[in-house]
């Protein structure tokens, strides 16, 4: 039996057969005097088994381990692990589809999704509230509001399924206090006014205190701000965050953190 017949019998390509030869997965018979390789029925049986195992989801390395064990005990172990892995993938797909249904439902209801999508249902609801608050403003939305949404989406991405106390506290405050969103947008506007200001601008202190007043005690505790020391002086995330602000805005945020540290002592 030539390689084309062998491949056709197993339902794969001759290129795949040659690849199996190269990686040592399938025995490669010596060439006959006529230059062709002659394959036996045993080769076809082995190749068909390789195909069945790969269709189950085994990698070629795992298939090689199975074929090396005549007793078949490794096959049971590998199939058990494969079944557990497929179960995990199935659960992950179920969660992803649930998220997609929520996003598609929101898009159908509102006609659009936030620019930061996809985010959690909690942040989706918060961003929708922000959009409604922005629509009630006389002018365009403050640039700092969009920056905050980006930051919240980033923080949530960095803690999926982890510590969400900061988000829970934020949502609780906004839901319990109908005036909280208005105050937040007043802070955004104050920070926008500092975009072209210098660090020693007299408005920096007022903006910092407005930031602190807009953060409830529970949310401040959940943020885990260190009680002492400067934040963002040693590189890392905080430093990158401050570098994204204008100098006066960064000064206001740093001062707000210092005030929060004082409040926590």
């Amino acid at each position: 039996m030539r390689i084309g017949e062998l491949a056709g019998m197993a339902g794969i390509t001759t290129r795949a057969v040659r690849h199996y030869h190269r990686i040592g997965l399938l025995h490669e018979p010596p060439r006959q005097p006529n230059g062709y390789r002659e394959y036996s029925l045993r080769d076809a049986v082995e190749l068909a088994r390789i195909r069945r195992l790969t269709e189950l989801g085994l990698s070629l390395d795992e298939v090689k381990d199975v074929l090396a064990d005549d007793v078949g005990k490794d096959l049971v172990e590998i199939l058990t692990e494969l079944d557990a892995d497929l179960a995990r993938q199935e659960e992950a797909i179920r969660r992803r589809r649930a998220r997609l249904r929520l996003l598609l439902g929101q898009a159908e209801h509102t006609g659009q999704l936030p620019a930061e999508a996809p985010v959690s249902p909690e942040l989706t609801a918060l961003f929708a509230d922000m959009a409604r608050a922005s629509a009630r403003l006389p002018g365009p939305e403050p640039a700092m509001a969009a920056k905050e949404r980006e930051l919240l989406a980033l923080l949530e991405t960095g803690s999926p399924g982890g510590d969400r106390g900061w988000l829970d506290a934020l949502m609780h405050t906004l839901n319990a206090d109908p005036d909280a969103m208005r105050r937040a947008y007043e802070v955004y506007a104050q920070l926008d006014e500092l975009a072209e200001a210098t660090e020693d601008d007299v408005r920096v202190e007022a903006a910092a205190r407005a930031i602190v007043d807009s953060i409830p005690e529970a949310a401040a505790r959940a943020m885990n701000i260190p009680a002492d020391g400067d934040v963002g002086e040693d590189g890392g995330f905080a430093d990158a965050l401050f570098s994204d602000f204008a100098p006066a805005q960064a000064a206001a945020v740093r001062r707000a953190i210092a005030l929060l540290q004082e409040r926590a002592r």
Side-chain angles (χ1 to χ4, degrees), residues 76-134:
V76 174
E77 181 180 353
I78 290 173
L79 291 181
T80 300
E81 292 175 356
L82 175 63
D83 183 60
D85 186 54
L86 291 174
R88 287 190 293 270
Q89 293 181 43
E90 187 177 45
E91 175 61 20
I93 291 173
R94 186 193 64 77
R95 291 195 301 268
R96 289 165 60 189
R97 292 199 66 196
R99 289 282 305 280
L100 286 172
R101 283 195 298 272
L102 287 173
L103 289 168
L104 291 173
Q106 181 192 357
E108 183 177 355
H109 179 69
T110 64
Q112 62 180 356
L113 289 172
E116 299 78 16
V119 292
S120 69
E122 292 84 2
L123 275 190
T124 297
L126 173 60
F127 293 169
D129 288 342
M130 293 180 72
R132 286 189 287 270
S134 176

Side-chain angles (χ1 to χ4, degrees), residues 155-216:
L155 291 173
E156 181 182 59
T157 302
S159 58
D163 182 11
R164 297 282 296 274
W166 59 273
L167 179 57
D168 294 339
L170 176 64
M171 294 300 297
H172 175 75
T173 299
L174 292 173
N175 291 331
D177 184 357
D179 207 35
M181 188 64 75
R182 179 190 60 78
R183 292 196 303 272
Y185 267 82
E186 289 177 353
V187 173
Y188 299 147
Q190 285 181 270
L191 289 171
D192 270 18
E193 291 173 1
L194 296 176
E196 304 297 331
T198 59
E199 294 184 34
D200 58 355
D201 192 290
V202 294
R203 294 171 293 175
V204 167
E205 181 69 18
R209 293 190 178 277
I211 292 172
V212 173
D213 291 342
S214 70
I215 300 176

